[in-house]
Amino acid sequence: MNTLADQELVALARLGNLPAFETLVRRHQALVRNWLRRLGKDAGRADDLAQETFVQAWRQLGSYRGEGQFHSWLLRIAYSCFLQHMRKHRSEAALQERVARLAPAQDHTLPHDESPDAVRMLALLNVEERACMLLFYGHGYSHSEISELLSLPLGTVKSQLRRGILRIREHMRIEP
Amino acid sequence: MSLQDEPALELSAAETAFLTDLFRVGVGDAEGDAAQEAFIQRVMRSVQARQRRALLFDTLPLLMGAALLMAAMLLPVFDTLPMLLAGSLSELPAFITSIEWDSGTLLPLAAVLLAALLPGLLDAVTRMLD
């Protein structure tokens, strides 16, 4: 199974082949979990959302047309799960954002390899800015790919990136 | 000026490198193999539970059909239904009072109700098991 490409594994998983799907989970779990951990603030909750992402992916395998990369499709589902969770727990999320901005150094729930700067910078950004910055600078996605992945207009992606950069410049005083 | 009209920011190579380093999403995981394996097994258990539930729901229409068929054969009031459907609603009170609520009526009725409630019940049970 490990030697098969994502598309081949998807084709097998669609037929109900669980080992094929497990290989996909094994292959992409770190990416999805890290993406959700960086979008949110709580590693435990990020893992719950990552689990929900893979369950949704299993259910929606039939709708994956194989046009884009499988991991991009997974990140899209993960972002959708994350937004749904945010909507359900709006007040709690707002409080967490505020706490993170006030005392980011106290937050120990992000991945161990996260630098203090990254933690502080991520806390400065709103969800859309954070998602755009992570995809653009972290994953190397193009503006149009981010637009498709996050279901945002291209102009919004550009403006979110611009605002994110300005916010970081303001706090880090990076020399252009 | 709308957000879309804002001019793009010019970034120096150093600035781009800084941001790339800052937002790099690690594909590795510092928490170790055991934690990763535990997560994978957790996902797979959840997927298997979902698969079992899907199987139940696939067979449910058959079960419901069988229950309804049984009810149709056993429920004596079904004999009167065509007349009721064809006739006027004025006969409804008389029809209801004519029903004898004995085991011959109640059991098939219970079967119909159970068949109607079964999807919800099974969904609740499997959600609890998840």
Side-chain angles (χ1 to χ4, degrees), chain B residues 10-87:
Chain B
E10 290 293 328
L11 295 181
S12 67
E15 207 170 16
T16 305
F18 172 82
L19 289 169
T20 305
D21 190 48
L22 192 66
F23 290 107
R24 185 169 33 85
V25 179
V27 289
D29 207 324
E31 68 190 358
D33 290 345
Q36 290 194 37
E37 192 57 38
F39 174 79
I40 292 162
Q41 293 314 318
R42 194 175 125 190
V43 169
M44 291 316 294
R45 276 197 301 275
S46 200
V47 168
Q48 279 166 349
R50 185 70 64 153
Q51 200 182 30
R52 278 197 299 272
R53 192 188 303 171
L55 197 67
L56 274 175
F57 277 85
D58 284 349
T59 53
L60 212 58
L62 285 175
L63 287 173
M64 286 177 71
L68 284 170
L69 192 65
M70 191 179 76
M73 286 191 298
L74 296 177
L75 196 63
V77 295
F78 276 19
D79 295 342
T80 340
L81 272 182
M83 175 206 69
L84 255 184
L85 292 171

Side-chain angles (χ1 to χ4, degrees), chain A residues 18 26 29-30 33-34 37-38 47-48 51 55 58-59 121 137-138 155 162-163 168-169 172 176, chain B residues 3-4 6-7 10-12 15 18 20 22-24 26-28 31 36-37 39 42 46 50-51:
Chain A
L18 279 174
R26 206 169 280 283
Q29 54 88 22
R33 291 164 75 202
N34 283 329
R37 284 177 187 199
R38 287 192 156 214
D47 275 5
D48 289 344
Q51 180 182 350
V55 172
W58 168 257
R59 286 179 61 196
M121 291 305 107
Y137 291 105
R162 181 189 158 83
R163 271 193 251 164
I168 287 169
R169 262 188 188 166
M172 293 294 283
Chain B
L3 288 174
Q4 281 78 357
E6 288 174 1
E10 290 293 328
L11 295 181
S12 67
E15 207 170 16
F18 172 82
T20 305
L22 192 66
F23 290 107
R24 185 169 33 85
V27 289
E31 68 190 358
Q36 290 194 37
E37 192 57 38
F39 174 79
R42 194 175 125 190
S46 200
R50 185 70 64 153
Q51 200 182 30

Side-chain angles (χ1 to χ4, degrees), chain A residues 75-92:
Chain A
L75 292 182
R76 188 184 309 159
I77 296 175
Y79 187 64
S80 166
C81 286
F82 177 77
L83 289 184
Q84 272 179 13
H85 173 81
M86 291 274 288
R87 277 186 217 113
K88 273 190 199 162
H89 304 87
R90 200 182 294 266
S91 53
E92 190 190 336

